[in-house]
Amino acid sequence: MHASAQPHPRLDAAISHLADLIGFDTTSAYSNLAIIAHLRTFFAELGAEVTVLPDASGEKANLVARLGPADVPGIVLSGHTDVVPANAKSWQSDPFCMEQRGSRLYGRGTCDMKGFAACVMAAAPAFAEAELKRPLYFCFSHDEEVGCLGAPAIARHLAELEVPPALAIIGEPSEMQLINGQKGKIAMQVTVHGEGGHSSFAPQHVNAVEYAARIIAMIGERSRRYEREGPFDHDFSVPHATALATIVEGGVATNVTPDSCRFIFELRSIDQEAASGDMQALINEVEAALLPEMRALAPAASIEWQEIFSYPAMGDATASAMFKQLESILPPRGGKVSYGSEGGVFEIDGGIPSIIIGPGSIRQAHKPDEFIEIDQLGQCLAFFDELDDWMRR
Ligand SMILES: [Zn+2]
């Protein structure tokens, strides 16, 4: 891969596709059916075999489009269609109307991750014209940003094909470096049910806020234990699991002992298997330490644990057969990342080894004035040229 002085011949097409995609407000809270219809028309007109996978609500859908033969293992190019919310007041320009300023394109989703989708669309006509020896699967999911909710249906769909794909490339922003690992996450909501009353009688009550604070402290202690004792994987910039509380809500008045407190915490793991075991160990530890003392005062007191969502860590695909075949055209390695992606889902639910390669920087994601450097789109298109050559061989 090389960054040439000449702009890539398909760069204008990619920019124009990106402007179209940014125009769809696909904040995760809203339906994504309009952008899916747009992609469906686009890929159907290229002659791809297109499958739309609606969710149970009918308000959301995934899309899978295939170019090339179905009877040999192929490669997945995957992106999510949803974006995180944008508060227009903190933006310099309309987040859902792409604006070019200098070498950058601004808009919600420019880097996370409609820039990748735009490059896929710009490259797709060449893939469609080529005599592909292997299939390419273009996958677009819903609700990645709220816990990878759409991707499992895509992964299962691909796994059930007569010949499933052998490698997935997830286009999350990696500045076009090859990422071969990603942390998993479990997000939990905890509700502490205590017993309240006039706060002047506090010793007779089970103060839910106080017990929540003690649980939160134990979660923090567990995180510091990961930091001290590992397990470690130094390919991650934070080379161990982490755990922290992120939202707390409880109490009603200055003179009432709170009988309920709700908080949310996350566990980010480097290991696919260890995460659920670690979570159960934490729950056991908390309940053994606190429940007897809560129930001594109020027999009905309880701690309620509810998983909000979870997605698995993405393991290292570099030993897989398809990776080895493709390796000569892949960009340089950029380590492993602590943010979420659908790679672990493709791997666990679909049995498809996954890597991340995408344009833009994660530093610009999820912020006001999100942008992508135009040069990043050029680099992504250059990579797709190499992929195109390779797919014809
Ligand atoms: Zn993303």
Side-chain angles (χ1 to χ4, degrees), residues 80 112-113 144-145 172:
H80 58 82
D112 186 10
M113 54 185 287
E144 190 268 356
E145 297 288 5
E172 286 286 341

Side-chain angles (χ1 to χ4, degrees), residues 49-195:
E49 185 176 285
V50 181
T51 309
V52 173
L53 303 166
D55 81 339
S57 76
E59 293 297 307
K60 310 272 184 135
N62 298 310
L63 180 139
V64 177
R66 190 197 80 242
L67 287 171
D71 58 351
V72 286
I75 290 172
V76 172
L77 297 176
S78 177
H80 58 82
T81 58
D82 62 319
V83 296
V84 296
N87 176 2
K89 282 187 205 126
S90 43
W91 284 63
Q92 283 189 45
S93 56
D94 181 346
F96 297 104
C97 181
M98 193 178 81
E99 189 172 291
Q100 179 171 351
R101 301 204 288 274
S103 62
R104 297 170 172 178
L105 301 167
Y106 287 83
R108 175 54 88 222
T110 45
C111 92
D112 186 10
M113 54 185 287
K114 291 174 173 174
F116 177 79
C119 290
V120 165
M121 292 176 81
F127 288 126
E129 277 165 29
E131 280 280 317
L132 297 181
K133 298 282 196 301
R134 297 176 176 283
L136 267 178
Y137 295 87
F138 305 93
C139 299
F140 299 94
S141 64
H142 64 84
D143 288 322
E144 190 268 356
E145 297 288 5
V146 287
C148 296
L149 305 184
I154 296 182
R156 286 193 298 271
H157 169 80
L158 295 173
E160 283 163 13
L161 296 175
E162 208 158 312
V163 183
L167 186 75
I169 297 174
I170 317 293
E172 286 286 341
S174 72
E175 295 173 271
M176 290 310 293
Q177 292 189 316
L178 164 64
I179 303 296
N180 62 325
Q182 155 245 308
K183 283 186 181 175
K185 172 169 164 171
I186 304 175
M188 295 280 276
Q189 173 171 290
V190 182
T191 312
V192 179
H193 301 281
E195 197 172 67

Side-chain angles (χ1 to χ4, degrees), residues 211 214-215 218 285-294 303:
Y211 278 98
R214 288 169 68 180
I215 302 172
M218 291 172 80
E285 191 186 329
V286 166
E287 294 196 334
L290 302 181
L291 266 185
E293 122 185 19
M294 291 166 72
I303 304 168

Side-chain angles (χ1 to χ4, degrees), residues 1 75-79 111 113 115-117 119-120 167-181 314 318 323 326-335 337 339 341 343 354-360 376 379-384 387:
M1 228 172 35
I75 290 172
V76 172
L77 297 176
S78 177
C111 92
M113 54 185 287
F116 177 79
C119 290
V120 165
L167 186 75
I169 297 174
I170 317 293
E172 286 286 341
S174 72
E175 295 173 271
M176 290 310 293
Q177 292 189 316
L178 164 64
I179 303 296
N180 62 325
M314 181 181 84
T318 55
F323 179 90
L326 203 61
E327 193 164 13
S328 64
I329 66 156
L330 295 177
R333 297 204 188 181
V337 293
Y339 61 76
S341 91
S354 302
I355 52 177
I356 297 172
I357 302 170
Q376 286 285 307
Q379 286 189 41
C380 188
L381 292 168
F383 168 56
F384 286 156
L387 182 62

